[in-house]
Amino acid sequence: MLAVRPASDAATGAGLPERIERLRQQRRAVILAHNYQLPEVQDIADFVGDSLGLSQQAANTDAEVIVFCGVHFMAETAAILSPDRTVLLPDLAAGCSLADTITADQLRAWKADHPGALVVSYVNTSAEVKAESDYCCTSSNAAAIVNSIPRDREILFCPDMFLGAHVERVTGRTMHVWMGECHVHGGIEPAHLDAVRRQHPGAELLIHPECGCTTSALYRSSSGDLPGPTTVVTSTEGMVRRAAESPASTFIVATEVGILHRMEKVIPGKRFLPASRGAVCQYMKMITLPKVAASLETLTPRVTVAPEIAARARVAIERMLAVPV
Ligand code: 13P
Ligand code: SF4
């Protein structure tokens, strides 16, 4: 029987990291956290990273329990890849506005309009949508996945229109792209970027491909319209890597603000400025230390995927993991 948590811990967070560490060992659990998680959640995790890194960790873990500090589709992906493990999502309401923009029924109807087309679905989709897909992808490998498909094949890409446009630009391919967007990244506007860039003209610009401002920023950089040495479009983990390697010392970061904690921790001494302080994903912030502790104590809430759906979704995810990036 595991110890009952004192009420004061839940209220103040005091002692929670130690309690979580004890429970983690008792449960033989691994704690995986996305780069957008609250700082204190990132700090107690065994691994912090982007969707691709988290999927790889979930696929290869020896742990009996996976505590997923992220959003629902990420925990589902872990449950699909590790069906024998207990996958916990400390708050089941942690969803994703982008994943909600396409249902399996909508995808089936879209496929019926394009017989013979291959479907590439972003990892930000439900398990049912992945089960209807040929390939899964993340922001780290979307271009590599599309490049691995013969050029004469028609492609349906869903659900993020900005990532789709970015992949078309990078690969030189034309795809049918679903018109979904993430409300957080969609809310980072070109005007936000321009304002920060004018204040910090020497800063390098790091943009997540889900941002609607990507096209305009790339165009304005290449046309010399805005000062600034470099613009890099990449995943959250790609941003961390790029900032570590870049000669620049100041970066404007166009994605959810949770990444700033990770960057400041991994790369002390460099300066990271948010493109928009309002870029906060309320779903990611639903995961808190008291909920992580409660989840480990009770082994709930659990995320499971029906075996028939999981088997089909796994094909799309494993095809993705097999493509070298
Ligand atoms: P990354 O895979 O780049 O971390 O992105 C996940 C996500 O949800 C972005 O909003
Ligand atoms: Fe979904 Fe957007 Fe939140 Fe990422 S930031 S989890 S895409 S709602």
Side-chain angles (χ1 to χ4, degrees), residues 34 36 50-52 73-74 122 124 139 185 208 210 235-236:
H34 187 264
Y36 298 160
D50 66 0
S51 305
L52 180 62
F73 73 81
M74 296 178 174
Y122 194 30
N124 298 43
S139 55
H185 289 86
H208 196 277
E210 283 178 28
S235 74
T236 56

Side-chain angles (χ1 to χ4, degrees), residues 147-166:
N147 273 331
S148 76
I149 296 172
R151 288 194 84 83
D152 58 347
R153 292 301 299 266
E154 192 180 6
I155 296 176
L156 305 182
F157 186 94
C158 72
D160 190 87
M161 60 178 158
F162 299 118
L163 177 62
H166 172 67

Side-chain angles (χ1 to χ4, degrees), residues 34-36 49-54 71 73-74 96 98 122-124 137-140 160 182 184-185 208-210 234-239 255-256 259 281 284:
H34 187 264
N35 284 321
Y36 298 160
D50 66 0
S51 305
L52 180 62
L54 291 166
V71 293
F73 73 81
M74 296 178 174
C96 170
L98 175 57
Y122 194 30
V123 68
N124 298 43
C137 74
T138 74
S139 55
S140 284
D160 190 87
C182 152
V184 178
H185 289 86
H208 196 277
E210 283 178 28
T234 185
S235 74
T236 56
E237 199 57 28
M239 290 180 176
T255 192
E256 211 271 357
I259 186 80
C281 176
M284 288 281 181

Side-chain angles (χ1 to χ4, degrees), residues 185 188 193 197 203-209 211 213-214 217-218 230-246 248 250-256 259-260 263 267 270-276:
H185 289 86
I188 304 174
L193 274 184
R197 283 184 103 180
E204 186 169 308
L205 180 55
L206 304 175
I207 309 184
H208 196 277
C211 285
C213 55
T214 312
L218 288 174
T230 313
T231 299
V232 178
V233 181
T234 185
S235 74
T236 56
E237 199 57 28
M239 290 180 176
V240 178
R241 275 194 301 271
R242 170 67 199 172
E245 287 161 8
S246 167
T250 305
F251 300 83
I252 300 167
V253 184
T255 192
E256 211 271 357
I259 186 80
L260 299 173
M263 298 178 108
I267 317 156
K270 292 197 178 183
R271 193 167 174 213
F272 302 101
L273 307 160
S276 165

Side-chain angles (χ1 to χ4, degrees), residues 254-301:
T255 192
E256 211 271 357
V257 294
I259 186 80
L260 299 173
H261 174 71
R262 177 88 201 289
M263 298 178 108
E264 283 160 1
K265 193 169 166 179
V266 176
I267 317 156
K270 292 197 178 183
R271 193 167 174 213
F272 302 101
L273 307 160
S276 165
R277 287 187 193 283
V280 177
C281 176
Q282 68 270 40
Y283 301 114
M284 288 281 181
K285 307 310 186 214
M286 285 179 176
I287 309 300
T288 60
L289 288 187
K291 289 181 194 172
V292 172
S295 194
L296 274 164
E297 277 171 359
T298 60
L299 291 183
T300 62

Side-chain angles (χ1 to χ4, degrees), residues 13-199:
L16 271 173
E18 296 74 21
R19 175 179 299 277
I20 288 168
E21 177 53 24
R22 240 183 357 258
L23 286 165
R24 194 185 64 74
Q25 288 180 23
Q26 285 169 5
R27 295 300 198 191
R28 292 186 31 79
V30 66
I31 301 176
L32 306 181
H34 187 264
N35 284 321
Y36 298 160
Q37 288 291 291
L38 290 167
E40 61 271 26
V41 174
Q42 294 189 29
D43 291 346
I44 52 99
D46 295 292
F47 175 86
V48 185
D50 66 0
S51 305
L52 180 62
L54 291 166
S55 305
Q56 289 164 337
Q57 292 289 322
N60 296 320
T61 185
D62 292 333
E64 287 167 17
V65 174
I66 300 173
V67 184
F68 218 109
C69 300
V71 293
H72 194 267
F73 73 81
M74 296 178 174
E76 266 190 345
T77 305
I80 292 164
L81 288 169
S82 289
D84 301 335
R85 318 276 178 223
T86 298
V87 177
L88 304 172
L89 179 62
D91 189 331
L92 281 185
C96 170
S97 62
L98 175 57
D100 288 345
T101 62
I102 188 163
T103 64
D105 279 345
Q106 287 173 314
L107 178 51
R108 278 189 283 271
W110 202 27
K111 283 164 70 173
D113 289 340
H114 299 275
L118 289 173
V119 177
V120 180
S121 289
Y122 194 30
V123 68
N124 298 43
T125 46
S126 67
E128 288 79 8
V129 166
K130 290 186 181 76
E132 290 295 330
S133 307
D134 297 288
Y135 289 86
C136 187
C137 74
T138 74
S139 55
S140 284
N141 59 19
I145 301 294
V146 167
N147 273 331
S148 76
I149 296 172
R151 288 194 84 83
D152 58 347
R153 292 301 299 266
E154 192 180 6
I155 296 176
L156 305 182
F157 186 94
C158 72
D160 190 87
M161 60 178 158
F162 299 118
L163 177 62
H166 172 67
V167 170
E168 288 188 314
R169 208 170 23 240
V170 171
T171 62
R173 305 266 295 246
T174 304
M175 309 185 293
H176 303 281
V177 178
W178 192 259
M179 297 302 278
E181 70 169 324
C182 152
H183 71 292
V184 178
H185 289 86
I188 304 174
E189 292 171 9
H192 293 141
L193 274 184
D194 290 359
V196 190
R197 283 184 103 180
R198 290 219 158 82
Q199 281 170 359

